[in-house]
DNA sequence: GCGTTGAGAAGGTACGTTTCTGCATGGCAA
DNA sequence: TTGCCATGCAGAAACGTACCTTCTCAACGC
């Protein structure tokens, strides 16, 4: 009976490699992980034998032993009945792509998890850390994770003094103020807002920034809210906004589809863009470069956010907390197109602020 | 010495629960997992103690013991230098969302992995199975996974006799043929194609279906190809297509952004849609419902594909191979809008084929 | 000749579960 | 009484790795 000989059921284990190479288990482990003091001859020999046997170390065993799984949770908040809904496809896709890429470069992989899900799923996967997107105030999942000593970095400033390890966010107030100034400079007299009924930080900050701006310049706020997770509601809300007696001559839409929603509504009311109505919306989609007219968009730079979030998180996991700031503000980017320019309708792309690149 | 007493370093383990509840480890395990023969009294007592101690079973240990991790890989093929590029954001986002949701409902989580990545990342995570999106012919990663006995289900028919466990796909040929017939019925005399230079199955099948259709009806093929992963190239290719001497009076664009690309190009050449040019593109994006004019799109039903892929995979993992077919064809959905109708430009949405729902 | 040093490699334990096997106990029929 | 089964639980062996400790052996200075 014995363990060294015997069952060929599963894949080759470290024991088999050791036996085949005529060395001990320790030597195999050291040789493959670049540790210990071994002559190069032994190292390469072991490596060769391992290759020949098709040996792959068991991730589970390694995780159990080392306590590190190399897995990072990517958590998105849920809106509807679906496990989760991406209000902004392009934003999430870009952000997730960058995060995946950054994690991979450092040897980590991302696990997609909805914030609200059965507890067994959460404890069924060993996470070294977690990225949460726009956590709600006092989010129980985040609290629990932190209590278990798992680093958590959030995309979006955490509300309610959530004890996160760090966060990355845009300066939403500044972005909205800058954008409203831009519209005012282009000749807007009354700027409207298309916003959401949800309570997430992004919506809240942007809306209050708008209200503050209105108060500062002495304009009555003109806005309509709708549940952002319902794609149809956007078109209806856009219509409502332009049907008001105090119809705005410029509109900023907080969500990705608002650009086309507003454009369609403007057409229905016979309003020409940008002549009768200036338009800006927050979006990462490239379709707004080729609409008629092209629409000015505010980019939140999801790529940079995704990268930054992961870097901070992995630094925290590996104990390099000080290599970069724990809280980072990523500048936004206003991509000015025809829809917000009353003068020269020829300009297509010109980022007015923020450092170059990406 | 002494393991039962001693270090309070980490979190509570099953041993601590057993000690606190005054029972054996076995009893705790059985009570928590609903196994063994225990009176309900013991069960609830153990559960309560475990709760009080904040006990969470170690995923790594469980995986090591059982051989099941509850993790499913979601692999996307890479195009550029980025780990991976989503040519179609909306498609991927929807598909991934549905897959995540379906996996979660059955107690699994999804791990995002690029198909081509350093080997250590792949072996660093214990996967019960993998979903691959549109694998290339003879994909080495897939081959290796299968060789290690890991079930693999692909989104898109696997080329080159890849030994996958199952696959889900649309009937791309039928979709293209149906769509071309639709355009012809709307009065198109010469239908052009905007296609890609990549060799993936989707592009290949769709293009050959187009060529076959042309041969059948006796029309000269009119098409332009471009590298689909480059968003700028699409606009250029659309322009090229409409600049040709044998300019088509209808165009089908294979990729998501082609709708706006073609619309913009049409405007540049003074072509009215749908009067001078009929337009259809393959897209999951809702923006095409509100463009001017609304554009007819072909939906590949990513939600249903994502769900089906995961179901098949998990069935295979759990050994229920026969509960549903191993190969599934999901019907596509042509969403007819103004851009492909020369007669009644009022109709907006009417799925012509496929069963109802979703 | 002897302690010292350091390289090279092996032994063995622990990581935290699941689960197989087995030991009591008690009721019931033979 | 004896045999037998069902019940309730405990012991201990894995799972495959990493790493701490120990061992051997040769070289070397004194």
């Amino acid at each position: 009976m014995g363990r060294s000989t015997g069952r060929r059921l599963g894949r080759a284990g470290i024991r088999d490699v050791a036996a085949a190479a005529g060395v001990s288990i320790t030597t195999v482990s050291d040789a493959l992980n670049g540790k210990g003091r071994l002559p190069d001859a032994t190292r390469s020999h072991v490596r060769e034998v391992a290759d020949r046997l098709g040996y792959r170390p068991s991730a589970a065993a390694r995780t159990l032993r080392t306590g590190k799984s190399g897995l990072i949770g990517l958590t998105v908040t849920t809106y509807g009945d679906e496990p989760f809904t991406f209000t902004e496809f392009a934003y999430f896709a870009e952000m997730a792509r960058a995060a995946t890429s950054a994690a991979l470069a450092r040897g980590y992989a991302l696990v997609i998890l909805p914030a609200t899900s059965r507890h067994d799923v959460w404890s069924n996967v060993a996470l070294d850390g977690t990225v949460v997107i726009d956590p709600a105030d006092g989010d129980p999942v985040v609290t629990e994770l932190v209590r278990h000593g798992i680093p958590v970095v959030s995309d979006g400033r955490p509300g309610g003094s959530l004890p996160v390890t760090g966060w990355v966010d845009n300066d939403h107030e500044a972005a909205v103020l800058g954008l409203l100034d831009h519209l005012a400079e282009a000749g807007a007299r009354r700027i409207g807002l298309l916003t959401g009924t949800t309570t997430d930080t992004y919506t809240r900050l942007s809306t209050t920034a708008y209200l503050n701006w209105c108060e500062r310049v002495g304009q009555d706020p003109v806005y309509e809210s709708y549940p952002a997770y319902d794609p149809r509601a956007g078109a209806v809300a856009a219509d409502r906004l332009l049907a008001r007696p105090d119809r705005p001559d410029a509109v900023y839409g907080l969500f990705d589809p608002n650009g086309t929603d507003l454009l369609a509504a403007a057409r229905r009311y016979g309003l020409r863009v940008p002549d009768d109505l200036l338009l800006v919306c927050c979006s990462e989609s490239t379709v707004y470069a080729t609409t008629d007219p092209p629409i000015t968009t505010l980019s939140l730079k999801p790529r940079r956010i995704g990268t930054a979030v992961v870097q901070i998180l992995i630094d925290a996991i590996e104990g390099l907390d000080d290599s970069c700031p724990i809280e980072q503000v990523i500048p936004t980017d206003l991509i000015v197109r025809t829809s917000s320019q009353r003068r020269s309708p020829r300009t297509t792309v010109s980022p007015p602020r923020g450092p170059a690149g990406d």
Side-chain angles (χ1 to χ4, degrees), chain A residues 66-280:
Chain A
T66 62
K68 301 271 154 233
S69 66
L71 257 29
I72 291 178
L74 177 60
T75 286
V76 282
T77 39
T78 78
Y79 290 108
D81 48 349
E82 283 272 333
F84 53 99
T85 304
F86 309 141
T87 310
E88 294 124 17
F89 290 117
Y91 177 88
F92 179 82
E94 288 275 353
M95 189 277 191
R97 179 152 72 102
T100 304
S101 159
L104 231 46
R106 296 188 62 172
Y108 289 76
L110 253 46
V111 182
I112 309 180
L113 291 172
T116 69
S117 65
R118 298 178 0 241
H119 223 74
D120 51 332
V121 175
W122 272 98
S123 53
N124 242 337
V125 36
L127 258 26
D128 287 350
T130 303
V131 170
V132 284
I133 298 184
D134 210 0
D137 289 9
D139 189 312
V141 175
V142 173
T143 315
E144 167 129 353
L145 284 172
V146 171
R147 210 158 46 71
H148 277 319
I150 299 180
V152 175
V153 175
S154 76
D155 170 7
R157 226 157 308 208
S161 71
L162 275 179
V164 299
T165 308
W167 52 258
V168 177
D169 201 356
N170 305 109
D171 189 345
H172 291 300
E173 291 100 328
V176 171
L177 297 182
L179 175 162
L180 295 174
D181 284 342
H182 165 76
L183 285 174
E185 276 170 28
R189 308 269 99 203
R190 186 188 296 130
I191 306 180
L193 183 75
L194 199 51
T195 179
T197 52
T198 50
T199 62
D200 56 301
T201 315
Y202 165 67
T203 305
R204 196 156 33 78
L205 287 183
S206 303
T207 308
T208 55
Y210 167 78
L211 296 175
N212 289 341
W213 186 87
C214 286
E215 187 164 358
R216 205 186 66 206
V217 304
Q219 184 213 298
D220 283 339
V222 187
Y223 64 92
E224 293 286 341
S225 310
Y226 75 98
Y229 48 82
D230 179 358
R232 321 220 169 206
V236 178
D239 221 277
R240 270 207 317 268
L241 188 55
L242 297 191
R244 292 172 63 123
D246 54 345
R247 170 192 293 159
D249 62 351
V251 177
Y252 173 47
L254 277 189
F255 304 106
D256 199 293
N258 292 162
T260 44
D261 291 341
L262 287 164
L263 209 52
R267 251 182 333 250
R268 276 193 292 276
Y269 288 97
L271 301 172
R272 292 164 307 165
V273 176
D275 307 270
D276 306 322
L277 184 71
L278 297 171
L279 232 51
V280 176

Side-chain angles (χ1 to χ4, degrees), chain A residues 269-336:
Chain A
Y269 288 97
L271 301 172
R272 292 164 307 165
V273 176
D275 307 270
D276 306 322
L277 184 71
L278 297 171
L279 232 51
V280 176
C281 82
C282 181
S283 165
E284 310 304 329
S285 172
T286 56
V287 307
Y288 289 122
T290 53
T291 49
D292 181 27
I295 296 182
T296 296
T297 55
L298 179 72
S299 166
L300 303 179
K301 296 290 183 179
R303 306 252 279 269
R304 288 185 58 183
I305 290 190
T307 306
V309 161
V310 166
Q311 299 295 7
I312 292 178
L313 182 59
I314 296 182
D315 284 350
I317 290 171
E318 298 182 347
L320 317 167
D321 315 47
D322 24 279
S323 79
C324 75
I326 280 300
E327 302 174 353
Q328 256 185 50
V329 175
I330 305 291
T332 56
D333 201 359
L334 189 65
I335 302 171
V336 178

